[in-house]
Amino acid sequence: MERGMNERIRKLRHQSVTVEPRISMERAALVTEAYQKYAGTVEIPILRALTFKHIMENKTLCILDGELIVGEKGEGPQAAPTYPELCCHTLEDFEIMHKREKISFKVSEEAKRIQAEKIIPYWQERSLRKIIFNHMSPQWKDCYESGIFTEFMEQRAPGHTVADGKIYEKGFLDFKHDIQQAIDALDFLNDEEAYEKKVQLEAMKICCDAIMIYGQRYAKYARELAAKETDPRRQRELLAIAANCDVVPAHRPQTFAQAIQMYWFVHIGVTSELNNWDAFSPGRLDQHLYPFYKKEIEDGTLTEEQAKELLSCLWVKFNNQPAPPKVGITLKESGTYTDFANINSGGVKPDGSDGVNDVTYLILDVMDELKLLQPSSNVQISRKSPHKFVQRACEIARKGWGQPAMYNTDAIIQELLRAGKDIVDAREGGASGCVETGAFGKEAYILTGYFNLPKILELTLNNGFDKLTGKQLGLQTGYAADFQSYEELFEAFKKQINHFVDIKIAGNHIIEKIYATQMPCPFLSIIISDCIKKGKDYNAGGARYNTSYIQGVGIGTLADCLSSIKYNVFDKKRFTMQELLQALDANFVGYEHIRHLALNKTPKYGNDDDYADQLMIEAFNAFYDAVNGRKNRKGGVYRIDMLPTTCHVYFGSVTGATPNGRLAGKPLSEGISPEQGADRRGPTAVIKSAAKMDHLRTGGTLLNQKFNPSVVAGDEGLESMVSLVRTYFNMDGHHIQFNVIDRKTLLDAQQHPEEYKDLIVRVAGYSDYFHNLNKELQDEIIARTEHTCMR
Amino acid sequence: MKKAIVFNIQKFCIHDGPGIRTTVFFKGCPLRCLWCHNPESQSFNKEILFNPEKCTGCGQCRQRCPRGAIQATPRGWIHDNTKCIFCENCIDVCVNNAREMAGRAYTVNDLMEEIEKDRPFYEQSGGGVTLSGGEAICQIGFVAELVKTCKKRSISVAIDTCGYVPFSSFERILGDVDVFLYDIKLMDPVLHEKYTGKDNRLILDNLQRLVAGGARINLRVPLIEGINTDRSHILDLIDFVKGLNISLVNLLPYHATGSSKYLKLHRDYPHHLLARPSDEKMEEIKNLFEVHNLKVKIGG
């Protein structure tokens, strides 16, 4: 059988990767019209539902030549809608987006005119971003602006919206019926929230209608195109699209194609309703599609090639949608077009048996052949996963571009169980976004912001004072030079962490309430259990589980800093704290000897050296203790994640020189990876060090490994890669990803970007085109230690 | 407690025997192969490597040396290993990392601690520890104890050996070593002596006796263009080993990665005499082995 993309897919893929991302004003205009018409006349959830309906009734339809799956967020591929109700861009924002070198969006003159005349006048005082910043305390703002933490929801809606299997078992008529039953069951006599519930449920009902209207419009449009089509083959395809859209989303899908179309309509619905910070994900796609695949293969109505073609069409659809344009600090923490839709393959079935099936391998083939940034594809590997599956995943991963990322199913399940999930919900869960664990289709697991761990140490060393902004941000925990022992320093550090986590969470509480009351998402709520049952919105605690995360960044840098202080200042007395502080203030200029000792002669995390690794564990525990178990405002609790997206670069830029010898402004360590260049004993040592962290107490950790291609070449190379992954997972590691590109290639790509347009690298939990990354991030990736093997 | 001088412990080795292995490089070797890519492995004593390319001539090392072992010369701050007491002051003080230590004394316990660290990888991949060098078996008292300890703890042991040791040394460990990575360089005793400093009869004899003793052997043949790649030599070699029940032959094309280390030891490297055989030549040689029903592989 011939492998590789067929003509149709090649063409669609080409279109997807060559069209320039641009701003689409359609959604903004429709939202504004709806608000102008309904705001103040109906309850907020109804307003949101009517707005959603207005969008779905009027948004431009798009069926490109050759497409088999239909629906776009904008007017066509790479057209990015804006969400003025969350973030009202200024004309200057538009100008920057248009002109900025990286992650730019073309903005037409017409778009600017609409923004100036229609959008800004209505939204500039009403956007949630404005409201949120108005409510944040001066203390919070100082911390935010100094780079202590970031805020995920300041211009994007809560994400981690992942589908489970229910959209393949029910159509929206069925959901509407369920909602009506919930309304009918409301007890207005005794339930004091009955009215609020009714409003939420009515809003959901309107959204059911809205998505069905969207499907009907596509059915009609496809028939119109078919009537005009002269090529009989294409005509048949268009009629098939129409027939699919007659069935979904109103009814449950009957075929493999309808199942994919169902998902895609829901995807467009969720991401048109709000700009969730990681789009929407199908979750366990191979599990969901397999029954349709199996039946049709057995019936002879579908071939393997056709199934692959349909999946490829879906992949292109994902890739057509750039992440909603970001500005300000949010752009810095997540500087990418990638919208973090993440597809989990493999894992286990709800009954705990191995989940790998034929569709799993098809998905791996599609990922391999299309080599697209989006969707992010990952594999879930359990003890029960067959060797062939892990081998195939490694075979693709060693091609160098970072997909698939590998997740440990057994760890994920334990993490979810620890967080109180039912065992079946846990098995049906997985990782989304970058690496974050959740019960798919049943949980709102919200990232609230990155937390700059090394910066907290910097403030501790300066008695709470931030030299960069000249502000007293932290507590006065004492002058570092007065600390008599390492333990005294660490106690002060713990106090500071708690202090900043307090500030962060106080802000989060307000933001959560603002979203719960001002920005419900009734469409999404339909498909997340138990929003219908509870009569509550996803953003207000309607989901079965509600977790909030704070994501620690720079644990590797922090561990090395603590090691340097403990080892050099207290244990070996090679220099004093005073000398160290002077060296840091001078960015080590004139203190090269101190930097040399800190950089080259000090135990470092990532070398399987207990001295440094133990300090990593203590730092991890301090962060964990400060965050874990605190209550959020949706009936859930806070947990920690250890991942950065691109935030380690931004946080590095606001952090001065650090005791481990890192110069001011340089990136922090990324994920739970060791600081760039600190790991000198090869990948097994990194994996051993990283596994000393208690991954099961987190909601996800991110470990990046970079290999020279020669290391993983040949059969032995592939088998050792499999062994590395399996061993890490035996030790409860949560996630590992690989960059297999040599340093020389990366340096050359930096010099000659035009010759490396296709070069994709793993950044942190996602892949991106190397040329899309800014210089700092490129340098950071180049600086990550490339493991070679001794020959 | 017995100690051995080890100059490197390399983890994640995937070409030194089956699975993922930790390779321990013992210092000291009876041979002086012209193409040796680990020249620091030859002397049985510790040495300090000095990289003149990194030296900025600040002189800190000389100031901190308690024995006056460092001299300023046109080639940089050269080290006199006969005066050196290996206090490492000069290494600690050098902000440019121009100096590094080759060789540290380890007890069996020290080494076991390092070896044990990667146990999860051995168990997953079917790997273990590989003792290499230099020539590990030159320190047989230590090695025998190490091998026995590994065996007791169910860690697979491979030994990479040049074979130039008394057979009695092999006998001490034969039962506990899972595989010998046995080097054969040249079949002609005169040429062998010319290029390695020693006659090869002991080596060939030991190989036959090891096989007779039931050892599992992977043969390793470094191939250096113009020195041992001609057809007749390869055929001689095949002729010698074909009846020996060899599990695998690894053909290792010469590479120059060790050349910079000669500079660090203030030694000359005979670049002009050494070359890597072409890929075609490697294939040709590989075919010769295959024709004689030997399992053969290019690379480790």
Side-chain angles (χ1 to χ4, degrees), chain A residues 172-211:
Chain A
F172 278 84
L173 278 173
D174 304 311
F175 287 122
K176 201 174 160 185
H177 178 74
D178 293 349
I179 296 165
Q180 188 56 51
Q181 276 192 327
I183 295 173
D184 293 345
L186 287 173
D187 179 357
F188 288 91
L189 185 63
N190 298 303
D191 182 353
E192 59 184 63
E193 288 176 2
Y195 169 69
E196 287 88 340
K197 289 177 183 172
K198 178 169 181 289
V199 170
Q200 295 291 352
L201 289 164
E202 293 288 355
M204 292 184 210
K205 237 170 68 181
I206 295 169
C207 291
C208 288
D209 290 337
I211 196 78

Coordinates of all heavy atoms in Angstrom, one line a residue, chain A residues 172-211:
Chain A
F172 N -27.2 17.0 19.4 CA -27.6 18.2 20.2 C -29.1 18.2 20.5 O -29.6 18.8 21.4 CB -27.1 19.5 19.6 CG -25.6 19.7 20.1 CD1 -24.6 19.1 19.4 CD2 -25.3 20.4 21.2 CE1 -23.3 19.2 19.8 CE2 -24.0 20.5 21.7 CZ -23.0 19.9 21.0
L173 N -29.9 17.4 19.7 CA -31.3 17.3 20.0 C -31.4 16.5 21.3 O -32.3 16.8 22.2 CB -32.0 16.5 18.9 CG -32.5 17.4 17.7 CD1 -33.0 16.5 16.6 CD2 -33.5 18.4 18.1
D174 N -30.6 15.5 21.4 CA -30.6 14.7 22.7 C -30.1 15.5 23.9 O -30.7 15.5 24.9 CB -29.6 13.5 22.6 CG -29.9 12.6 21.4 OD1 -31.1 12.3 21.2 OD2 -29.0 12.3 20.6
F175 N -29.1 16.3 23.7 CA -28.6 17.2 24.8 C -29.8 18.2 25.1 O -30.0 18.4 26.3 CB -27.4 18.0 24.3 CG -26.1 17.2 24.3 CD1 -25.4 17.1 23.1 CD2 -25.7 16.5 25.4 CE1 -24.2 16.3 23.0 CE2 -24.5 15.7 25.3 CZ -23.8 15.7 24.1
K176 N -30.5 18.7 24.1 CA -31.5 19.6 24.4 C -32.6 19.0 25.2 O -33.2 19.6 26.1 CB -32.1 20.1 23.0 CG -32.9 21.4 23.1 CD -33.3 21.9 21.7 CE -34.4 22.9 21.8 NZ -34.9 23.3 20.6
H177 N -32.9 17.7 24.9 CA -33.9 17.0 25.6 C -33.4 16.8 27.1 O -34.2 17.0 28.0 CB -34.0 15.6 25.0 CG -35.0 14.7 25.7 ND1 -36.3 14.9 25.6 CD2 -34.7 13.6 26.4 CE1 -36.9 13.9 26.3 NE2 -36.0 13.1 26.8
D178 N -32.1 16.5 27.3 CA -31.6 16.4 28.6 C -31.8 17.7 29.4 O -32.1 17.7 30.6 CB -30.1 16.0 28.6 CG -29.9 14.6 28.0 OD1 -30.9 13.8 27.9 OD2 -28.7 14.3 27.7
I179 N -31.5 18.8 28.7 CA -31.5 20.1 29.4 C -33.0 20.4 29.8 O -33.2 20.8 30.9 CB -31.0 21.2 28.4 CG1 -29.5 20.9 28.2 CG2 -31.2 22.6 29.1 CD1 -29.0 21.7 27.0
Q180 N -33.9 20.1 28.9 CA -35.3 20.3 29.2 C -35.7 19.5 30.4 O -36.4 20.0 31.3 CB -36.2 20.0 28.0 CG -37.6 20.4 28.1 CD -37.8 21.9 28.4 OE1 -37.2 22.7 27.7 NE2 -38.5 22.2 29.5
Q181 N -35.3 18.3 30.4 CA -35.6 17.5 31.6 C -35.1 18.1 32.9 O -35.7 18.0 33.9 CB -35.0 16.1 31.4 CG -35.9 15.2 30.6 CD -35.5 13.7 30.7 OE1 -34.3 13.4 30.8 NE2 -36.4 12.8 30.6
A182 N -33.9 18.6 32.8 CA -33.3 19.2 34.0 C -34.1 20.5 34.4 O -34.3 20.7 35.6 CB -31.8 19.6 33.7
I183 N -34.6 21.2 33.4 CA -35.4 22.4 33.7 C -36.7 21.9 34.4 O -37.1 22.4 35.4 CB -35.7 23.2 32.4 CG1 -34.4 23.8 31.9 CG2 -36.7 24.3 32.7 CD1 -34.6 24.5 30.5
D184 N -37.3 20.9 33.8 CA -38.6 20.4 34.3 C -38.4 19.9 35.7 O -39.4 19.9 36.5 CB -39.1 19.2 33.4 CG -39.5 19.7 32.0 OD1 -39.6 21.0 31.9 OD2 -39.6 18.9 31.1
A185 N -37.2 19.4 36.0 CA -37.0 18.8 37.4 C -36.7 19.9 38.4 O -36.5 19.6 39.6 CB -35.9 17.8 37.3
L186 N -36.6 21.1 38.0 CA -36.2 22.2 39.0 C -37.2 22.3 40.1 O -38.4 22.3 39.8 CB -35.9 23.5 38.3 CG -34.6 23.6 37.5 CD1 -34.6 24.9 36.7 CD2 -33.4 23.5 38.3
D187 N -36.8 22.5 41.3 CA -37.7 22.6 42.4 C -37.7 24.1 42.9 O -36.9 24.5 43.7 CB -37.2 21.7 43.5 CG -38.1 21.8 44.8 OD1 -39.1 22.6 44.8 OD2 -37.8 21.0 45.7
F188 N -38.6 24.9 42.3 CA -38.6 26.3 42.6 C -39.1 26.6 44.1 O -38.9 27.6 44.6 CB -39.5 27.1 41.6 CG -38.8 27.2 40.3 CD1 -39.0 26.2 39.3 CD2 -38.0 28.2 40.0 CE1 -38.4 26.3 38.1 CE2 -37.3 28.3 38.8 CZ -37.5 27.3 37.8
L189 N -39.8 25.6 44.6 CA -40.3 25.8 46.0 C -39.1 25.7 47.0 O -39.0 26.5 47.9 CB -41.3 24.7 46.3 CG -42.0 24.8 47.6 CD1 -42.8 26.1 47.7 CD2 -43.0 23.6 47.9
N190 N -38.2 24.7 46.8 CA -37.2 24.5 47.9 C -35.8 24.8 47.5 O -34.9 25.0 48.3 CB -37.2 23.0 48.3 CG -38.6 22.6 48.9 OD1 -39.0 23.3 49.8 ND2 -39.3 21.7 48.3
D191 N -35.5 24.8 46.2 CA -34.1 25.1 45.8 C -33.9 26.6 45.6 O -34.5 27.2 44.7 CB -33.9 24.3 44.4 CG -32.4 24.5 44.0 OD1 -31.7 25.3 44.6 OD2 -32.1 23.8 43.0
E192 N -33.1 27.1 46.5 CA -32.9 28.6 46.4 C -32.2 29.1 45.2 O -32.2 30.2 44.8 CB -32.3 29.2 47.7 CG -30.9 28.6 48.0 CD -30.4 29.1 49.3 OE1 -31.1 28.8 50.4 OE2 -29.4 29.8 49.3
E193 N -31.5 28.1 44.5 CA -30.8 28.5 43.2 C -31.5 28.1 42.0 O -31.0 28.2 40.9 CB -29.4 27.8 43.2 CG -28.4 28.4 44.2 CD -27.1 27.7 44.2 OE1 -26.9 26.7 43.4 OE2 -26.2 28.0 45.0
A194 N -32.8 27.7 42.2 CA -33.5 27.2 41.0 C -33.6 28.2 39.9 O -33.5 27.8 38.7 CB -34.9 26.8 41.5
Y195 N -33.8 29.4 40.2 CA -33.9 30.4 39.1 C -32.6 30.6 38.3 O -32.6 30.5 37.1 CB -34.3 31.8 39.7 CG -34.2 32.9 38.7 CD1 -35.1 33.0 37.6 CD2 -33.2 33.9 38.9 CE1 -34.9 34.0 36.7 CE2 -33.0 34.9 37.9 CZ -33.9 35.0 36.8 OH -33.8 36.0 35.9
E196 N -31.5 30.7 39.1 CA -30.2 30.8 38.4 C -30.0 29.6 37.5 O -29.5 29.7 36.4 CB -29.0 30.9 39.4 CG -28.9 32.2 40.1 CD -29.8 32.3 41.4 OE1 -30.7 31.4 41.5 OE2 -29.5 33.1 42.3
K197 N -30.4 28.4 38.0 CA -30.2 27.2 37.2 C -31.0 27.2 36.0 O -30.6 26.8 34.9 CB -30.6 26.0 38.1 CG -29.6 25.7 39.2 CD -30.1 24.5 40.0 CE -29.1 24.2 41.2 NZ -29.6 23.2 42.1
K198 N -32.2 27.7 36.1 CA -33.1 27.7 35.0 C -32.5 28.6 33.9 O -32.5 28.3 32.7 CB -34.5 28.3 35.4 CG -35.5 28.4 34.2 CD -36.9 28.7 34.7 CE -37.9 28.8 33.5 NZ -37.7 30.0 32.7
V199 N -32.0 29.8 34.3 CA -31.4 30.7 33.4 C -30.2 30.0 32.6 O -30.1 30.1 31.4 CB -30.9 32.0 34.1 CG1 -30.1 32.8 33.1 CG2 -32.1 32.8 34.6
Q200 N -29.4 29.4 33.4 CA -28.2 28.7 32.8 C -28.7 27.6 31.8 O -28.1 27.5 30.7 CB -27.3 28.0 33.9 CG -26.7 28.9 34.9 CD -25.6 29.8 34.3 OE1 -25.2 29.6 33.1 NE2 -25.1 30.7 35.0
L201 N -29.7 26.9 32.2 CA -30.1 25.8 31.4 C -30.8 26.3 30.1 O -30.6 25.8 29.0 CB -31.1 24.8 32.2 CG -30.3 24.0 33.3 CD1 -31.3 23.4 34.3 CD2 -29.5 22.9 32.6
E202 N -31.6 27.3 30.3 CA -32.2 28.0 29.1 C -31.1 28.4 28.1 O -31.3 28.3 26.9 CB -33.1 29.2 29.5 CG -34.3 28.8 30.3 CD -35.4 28.1 29.5 OE1 -35.3 28.0 28.2 OE2 -36.4 27.6 30.1
A203 N -30.1 29.0 28.7 CA -29.0 29.5 27.8 C -28.4 28.3 27.1 O -28.1 28.4 25.9 CB -27.9 30.2 28.7
M204 N -28.2 27.2 27.8 CA -27.6 26.0 27.1 C -28.5 25.5 26.0 O -28.1 25.1 24.9 CB -27.4 24.8 28.1 CG -26.3 25.1 29.2 SD -26.1 23.6 30.2 CE -25.6 24.4 31.7
K205 N -29.8 25.6 26.2 CA -30.8 25.2 25.2 C -30.7 26.0 23.9 O -30.7 25.5 22.8 CB -32.2 25.3 25.8 CG -33.0 24.0 25.7 CD -34.3 24.0 26.5 CE -35.3 24.9 25.9 NZ -36.6 24.9 26.7
I206 N -30.5 27.3 24.1 CA -30.4 28.2 23.0 C -29.1 27.8 22.2 O -29.1 27.8 21.0 CB -30.3 29.7 23.5 CG1 -31.6 30.1 24.1 CG2 -29.9 30.6 22.3 CD1 -31.5 31.5 24.8
C207 N -28.1 27.4 23.0 CA -26.8 27.1 22.3 C -26.9 25.8 21.5 O -26.3 25.6 20.5 CB -25.7 27.0 23.3 SG -25.2 28.5 24.0
C208 N -27.8 24.9 22.0 CA -28.1 23.6 21.2 C -28.6 24.0 19.9 O -28.2 23.5 18.8 CB -29.0 22.7 21.9 SG -28.4 21.9 23.4
D209 N -29.6 24.9 19.9 CA -30.2 25.4 18.6 C -29.2 26.0 17.7 O -29.1 25.8 16.5 CB -31.3 26.4 18.9 CG -32.5 25.8 19.6 OD1 -32.7 24.6 19.4 OD2 -33.3 26.5 20.2
A210 N -28.3 26.8 18.4 CA -27.3 27.6 17.6 C -26.4 26.6 16.8 O -26.2 26.8 15.6 CB -26.5 28.5 18.5
I211 N -25.9 25.6 17.5 CA -25.0 24.7 16.8 C -25.7 23.9 15.7 O -25.1 23.6 14.6 CB -24.2 23.8 17.8 CG1 -22.9 23.2 17.1 CG2 -25.1 22.7 18.3 CD1 -21.8 24.1 17.0

